[in-house]
Amino acid sequence: MGRCVYKPSPDRDEYVIWSTVVDAPVSDVLTRDEAVRKFPGGEDSVARADETGASWLDWRERFWGTKQWIRELRVEDQWFEGHYRFEDLPEIMRAWESQDKDALNRLITPFEDEENDND
């Protein structure tokens, strides 16, 4: 089961445990202490996330400032899929939990709109 700890912003105490099996978060937004306690790799994994934004052992590129993608995220009858800024992941998770479609529309760029995205 592929999992890692993401730290979406180097300046905030926010961590997310991500599963590559379901391509989705498998935790709430956590503090550093919570991530150390809940993630099997503990302190070593979270320390790697502190360095680059992700705890992968074999992928040490910086994640901060990158765009990532969401395959499927559903709120009621609306599906969201597209790219988002890595540092927005905690806000996306909170918007999804609260069913805030306006925030999700603001934070996720649909794949079909990508050619119009000048970021």
Side-chain angles (χ1 to χ4, degrees):
M1 186 179 311
R3 290 188 178 188
C4 84
V5 175
Y6 282 154
K7 179 176 180 160
S9 173
D11 302 324
R12 294 192 306 247
D13 184 25
E14 295 176 321
Y15 297 80
V16 175
I17 299 173
W18 189 272
S19 168
T20 59
V21 173
V22 295
D23 281 329
V26 290
S27 75
D28 294 327
V29 178
L30 306 169
T31 65
R32 188 179 198 290
D33 289 340
E34 291 170 330
V36 167
R37 284 195 311 273
K38 292 184 178 196
F39 192 72
E43 177 63 40
D44 291 342
S45 293
V46 174
R48 285 193 303 275
D50 288 338
E51 294 173 9
T52 64
S55 67
W56 301 118
L57 275 171
D58 57 349
W59 190 5
R60 300 308 304 146
E61 297 175 26
R62 288 202 180 271
F63 276 64
W64 299 311
T66 65
K67 287 189 177 180
Q68 301 295 317
W69 57 274
I70 289 179
R71 185 178 316 194
E72 294 178 343
L73 184 71
R74 184 175 178 183
V75 175
E76 297 171 354
D77 61 342
Q78 186 173 353
W79 287 94
F80 297 87
E81 57 184 14
H83 284 101
Y84 66 92
R85 295 177 330 139
F86 182 64
E87 58 268 20
D88 289 338
L89 181 58
E91 190 175 352
I92 288 170
M93 291 176 61
R94 290 180 185 112
W96 183 30
E97 184 177 295
S98 67
Q99 306 284 286
D100 186 343
K101 293 180 186 180
D102 291 333
L104 291 169
N105 277 316
R106 179 176 44 80
L107 294 165
I108 299 172
T109 302
F111 293 126
E112 63 269 9
D113 291 349
E114 234 179 10
E115 62 272 5
N116 300 323
D117 186 13
N118 295 323
D119 289 342

